[in-house]
Amino acid sequence: MQLYGLKTCDTCRKALKALPTAEFIDVRAQGVPAPVLAAAFARFGQALVNTRSTTWRGLSEEARARDPLALLAEEPTLMKRPLIVAGDEMYLGWDKSVQAALGA
């Protein structure tokens, strides 16, 4: 199981604490592999882009209108976190439904 997030993100830290066997990948330092990002976008669509983030608010309208996959590849901190990959399954965020699905 891989958990993509930021080491400074409180939600990511909570998820990692509840999933101690998960491999943590810091998206700021390591990025998100293109195949994982494409699969996540296919599954979650626009919900993958965190439009409430400081990074998003700092973007111009022109940048916001770009292809979301290209934008996420360039600015991985724009991704909603955490993105959890468990085998063929993917989970976005750390709400009660994700916690229940992962038995956390």
Side-chain angles (χ1 to χ4, degrees), residues 3-103:
L3 190 151
Y4 294 90
L6 292 173
K7 62 183 173 190
T8 56
C9 171
D10 289 339
T11 306
C12 293
R13 286 196 293 242
K14 287 176 192 172
L16 194 58
K17 186 175 181 181
L19 304 168
T21 61
E23 172 192 1
F24 181 74
I25 294 123
D26 188 325
V27 298
R28 183 174 283 134
Q30 298 166 275
V32 181
V36 172
L37 198 56
F41 189 74
R43 173 128 164 63
F44 302 111
Q46 270 312 118
L48 189 62
V49 180
N50 183 1
T51 56
R52 293 175 22 189
S53 72
T54 314
T55 306
W56 177 262
R57 284 182 259 148
L59 293 176
S60 67
E61 286 301 317
E62 182 180 279
R64 290 179 184 182
R66 292 183 47 213
D67 173 52
L69 275 176
L71 196 55
L72 287 168
E74 195 175 286
E75 294 279 355
T77 59
L78 277 173
M79 183 180 76
K80 183 171 170 147
R81 304 174 298 272
L83 172 64
I84 301 166
V85 179
D88 291 337
E89 291 294 318
M90 288 187 152
Y91 305 93
L92 188 61
W94 189 243
D95 60 17
K96 297 284 183 203
S97 65
V98 173
Q99 292 172 33
L102 293 170

